[in-house]
Amino acid sequence: MAEALTVEQQQALALAKARAMAAASQSAPSAPQTGEELRARVYSDLQAQREAAKPKSHAPRDTGNQNVDFPTVYTDEMLFGLPGKAGAGIQALSQAGLAALPGETPWEDKSIGDLYGKNREQYLNARKDYAEEHPDANTMASVGGSIHGGAATGRALGMVGEAVAPAVTARLGNSYVGRMLANVISGGVQGGVSAYGHDQDLGWGSGIGAVVGGAALPVTSAVGGTASAIGSMVGLGNEGRAQNAIAEAIRRSGRAPDDIADEIARAGQQGQPEYMVADALGNSGQRMLTGVARSPGDMRQQIAEQLQRRQAGQTDRLVNALSEGFDAPQTAAQTRTAMTTARDTAADANYGAARQAAGTVDPSAAIQAADNFLQPGASGVMNPGNNIADDSIESAVRRARAYLTDGNSILSDFNAAFRAKQELDSMIDGALPKVQRQLIPIRNALDDSLASASQPYAAARDQFRLESQNINAIDQGAAASSARTRAADNIDGFNQLTPEQQQPFRVGYVDPLIARTEAASMSPTTNKARPLITGKTEQEFPAFAAPGRGDVMGERIAREQRMFETANQALGGSRTADNLSDATEMMGFDPTMLGIAGNALTGNLRSAGMQALQRGVNLASGRNQGTRDMIARMLLQSSPTQARADLAAAVQRGANLTQAQQRIVNAIIGVGSTAYSR
């Protein structure tokens, strides 16, 4: 039985038959071929096809004693072709050294440059032979070495940057554009070095490497975003995407997770347990919470209710911060009443002791002070028959004089003189300034006479005056809180007071501020912290606050400002986004599509394009409702322990993702930046 034909033989037989038929149609008939002849012809055609498929032969290349294998190619590509150049140079130096020794060598009368060129050519020829004989192994070694070299070089350049210019390196790493720029630099360096190592144009090599470096991060981000979007469609990876979003917010804030958790803990200790992660992150956290609050989802209501409830308690928190910061648990009126009562009680006791030890009083000096004013007027004492009416000042002085003498007798009893002094005090307190100026010298002269008559009286008087000055400091503080006064003048006046006077000053100063805070509107949109943060208060609060309490008070007020900003960004402003979210939940479709279509139909292609781009970005981010709800829960966290754990996990995941992405980027740069040179 004839041997069965293979597929190749059957194809060749069919080709031979076709040729035979074509030849028969163009020439005279010939004798028919036997089966053996036909089989021989088919075999001949098959061999011809196989020979034609083989690569064309070439003259043997001069490889000298160069040996190239898989490790050689891998190492050479990993180090951008530099080992091949270095090997040729070292070999040339060795050959020149041997040629300089006595004896015959193949390298006589040749320069080091000539020897290097010959060695380099032989090495490149050996590389070409290996690539032709082992194409698969050569490709794997070249690509693998490039990936290894790109990854190692990227890490090395990053370490060099951190050591030489840490601030610049940190700024580059904190932004997407900065990371792209770092990749451009890395790609340009690797491309240039590879071009040098493979004897190619440095400019082209650096340029191609820079382009590859600049494109590597966007490419990996696009691929990763697509994968994330696909995962979000089926509800996979929500926690990971939420953690990545929080990690990005932390990176933008420029703060460490421990710092954020510590601030939340400190806020709770200082009476602000409502302070949350979104507040501590600053603008990045506030904007992220705003995005969740204005998107469809279950957390919209919780965010609104929590922020509104927190804002409603701002008044009480601010009042506590002020009263504790200035050590003023009572109002100014309550403090004044308490101080006055204490002063009067002490005065009664002190003056009682003074009466027991009193002698005869001589009020002559006080009477003389009155006469010094009345005599020049020639209307009273020296001319009693004159009926010209006294003015208010003369009337007051004459009345004061009458408490001390009737013109014939002089008051000398201590108790009576003391009561006269109290009458003068009352007159002075209720008089106009022009009258006070004339009565005060009379009262002071009588006071000195009382002190001369009783040794304990002087101590009682001085104590009464001191406590009265302390009480008057309340009014000084109230005047300083007015916006019409200057901070520098107020601080100078405060520093001149005694410690006993400074505390009443604090009470008088903070009382109007607390009153204005309590009287402000209760609307959630009213920021009661803002009036307490001015250029004037920034100077006065630290100067006037109770010792050791100024910094804490300042932190509490600043946090209230931050908490209002968070609520205002999430709940305030235009309601368009909220309305669109409501429509999404009610109708089950994205109303932004209507906006895109409407703008396109009306010819507003720019707006339609921007809306479509935003929709694409949201889709690519993979933030479905589940992801947004997880983000919101982390941002609303006010427990420092849980916040620390959540933030640390988010940062760790973000770091792992960034490192993995950067490894891929470095690999792309390594392969792409050296492709031109290979």
Side-chain angles (χ1 to χ4, degrees), residues 72 75-89 120 123 197:
T72 304
T75 303
D76 201 33
E77 295 302 329
M78 180 180 68
L79 299 177
F80 310 104
L82 297 179
K85 293 178 74 73
R120 180 66 172 162
Y123 174 77

Side-chain angles (χ1 to χ4, degrees), residues 79-80 148-164 169 186 189-190 662 666:
L79 299 177
F80 310 104
H148 190 172
T153 303
R155 289 195 302 271
L157 290 175
M159 294 172 63
V160 171
E162 291 175 357
V164 176
T169 303
S186 177
V189 171
Q190 294 184 48
Q662 192 59 46
N666 290 339

Side-chain angles (χ1 to χ4, degrees), residues 482-663:
S482 171
R484 294 187 296 271
T485 59
R486 296 181 65 243
D489 295 337
N490 293 336
I491 294 174
D492 288 342
F494 177 81
N495 291 334
Q496 294 174 9
L497 299 177
T498 65
E500 292 76 13
Q501 295 170 341
Q502 288 180 345
Q503 185 53 41
F505 179 98
R506 295 187 184 100
V507 174
Y509 178 82
V510 75
D511 192 67
L513 301 179
I514 292 177
R516 288 195 290 268
T517 301
E518 292 178 333
S521 171
M522 294 298 294
S523 170
T525 60
T526 301
N527 181 15
K528 300 181 180 181
R530 186 65 188 88
L532 302 176
I533 305 175
T534 66
K536 185 173 183 288
T537 59
E538 286 179 357
Q539 299 177 63
E540 292 179 346
F541 278 15
F544 297 161
R549 300 189 183 185
D551 291 341
V552 173
M553 179 177 63
E555 290 178 5
R556 295 173 70 176
I557 294 174
R559 286 196 203 99
E560 291 299 331
Q561 174 68 20
R562 177 72 62 82
M563 288 192 282
F564 171 81
E565 292 171 355
T566 300
N568 188 54
Q569 290 192 34
L571 306 178
S574 172
R575 311 308 298 178
T576 302
D578 292 337
N579 295 335
L580 290 176
S581 297
D582 294 338
T584 300
E585 294 179 336
M586 292 297 295
M587 296 184 291
F589 70 93
D590 188 350
T592 59
M593 295 302 298
L594 295 178
I596 296 173
N599 284 321
L601 292 175
T602 57
N604 192 355
L605 299 181
R606 182 177 182 275
S607 296
M610 292 299 294
Q611 287 180 300
L613 177 61
Q614 182 62 49
R615 177 175 169 81
V617 170
N618 292 336
L619 179 62
S621 67
R623 293 181 186 174
N624 55 19
Q625 177 178 330
T627 301
R628 292 194 299 270
D629 289 350
M630 290 181 181
I631 292 173
R633 292 189 187 97
M634 284 189 269
L635 292 174
L636 293 175
Q637 186 58 250
S638 58
S639 168
T641 302
Q642 187 62 45
R644 192 184 305 275
D646 290 345
L647 297 177
V651 169
Q652 184 60 50
R653 183 178 182 88
N656 293 341
L657 178 64
T658 301
Q659 291 173 1
Q661 183 183 38
Q662 192 59 46
R663 283 194 291 269

Side-chain angles (χ1 to χ4, degrees), residues 17-316:
K17 288 181 179 181
R19 289 177 178 172
M21 292 177 62
S25 65
Q26 296 178 1
S27 60
S30 59
Q33 294 179 322
T34 64
E36 289 298 328
E37 292 175 342
L38 184 59
R39 185 182 294 275
R41 183 168 182 175
V42 169
Y43 179 77
S44 176
D45 289 343
L46 184 60
Q47 288 294 108
Q49 290 178 7
R50 288 176 176 174
E51 290 297 326
K54 290 183 179 180
K56 293 183 171 59
S57 61
H58 55 76
R61 299 185 179 95
D62 178 16
T63 60
N65 61 352
Q66 303 285 352
N67 181 32
V68 173
D69 53 12
F70 187 96
T72 304
V73 176
Y74 188 97
T75 303
D76 201 33
E77 295 302 329
M78 180 180 68
L79 299 177
F80 310 104
L82 297 179
K85 293 178 74 73
I90 294 173
Q91 190 175 5
L93 292 174
S94 300
Q95 292 168 345
L98 293 174
L101 298 175
E104 294 293 330
T105 66
W107 310 296
E108 301 292 336
D109 300 327
K110 293 182 179 179
S111 67
I112 295 178
D114 293 338
L115 294 173
Y116 170 81
K118 184 66 174 179
N119 295 334
R120 180 66 172 162
E121 180 183 2
Q122 291 174 345
Y123 174 77
L124 295 178
N125 288 338
R127 284 285 305 266
K128 292 176 183 177
D129 287 350
Y130 181 80
E132 292 176 357
E133 295 170 3
H134 309 282
D136 294 338
N138 182 76
T139 300
M140 287 189 293
S142 298
V143 174
S146 298
I147 293 175
H148 190 172
T153 303
R155 289 195 302 271
L157 290 175
M159 294 172 63
V160 171
E162 291 175 357
V164 176
V168 175
T169 303
R171 282 197 296 270
L172 290 177
N174 284 335
S175 69
Y176 193 88
V177 174
R179 292 165 61 194
M180 285 183 61
L181 179 59
N183 291 335
V184 168
I185 297 173
S186 177
V189 171
Q190 294 184 48
V193 174
S194 180
Y196 173 76
H198 292 87
D199 300 326
Q200 301 294 330
D201 183 80
L202 294 180
W204 273 103
S206 298
I208 293 175
V211 171
V212 172
L217 185 58
V219 169
T220 57
S221 298
V223 174
T226 301
S228 179
I230 295 174
S232 72
M233 293 178 185
V234 295
L236 298 177
N238 289 341
E239 182 178 4
R241 284 188 295 275
Q243 289 178 331
N244 291 337
I246 295 298
E248 180 65 16
I250 295 173
R251 184 188 63 78
R252 291 175 179 172
S253 72
R255 308 188 65 188
D258 285 341
D259 294 337
I260 296 171
D262 290 343
E263 182 174 343
I264 295 174
R266 191 163 54 251
Q269 295 167 357
Q270 296 174 359
Q272 295 167 308
E274 304 87 352
Y275 198 71
M276 59 183 62
V277 171
D279 304 313
L281 284 172
N283 183 261
S284 63
Q286 293 168 343
R287 299 307 303 166
M288 188 167 289
L289 185 63
T290 299
V292 178
R294 302 198 175 197
S295 300
D298 296 336
M299 292 299 293
R300 288 180 62 202
Q301 181 174 350
Q302 180 175 336
I303 293 172
E305 290 178 351
Q306 186 167 338
L307 293 179
Q308 289 171 349
R309 184 169 57 252
R310 184 178 75 171
Q311 193 61 23
Q314 187 189 52
T315 299
D316 292 339

Side-chain angles (χ1 to χ4, degrees), residues 340-355 418 422 460 464:
T340 301
T341 301
R343 180 198 65 181
D344 293 346
T345 300
D348 290 342
N350 294 335
Y351 284 127
R355 293 189 187 96
F418 180 69
Q422 290 177 320
F464 186 88

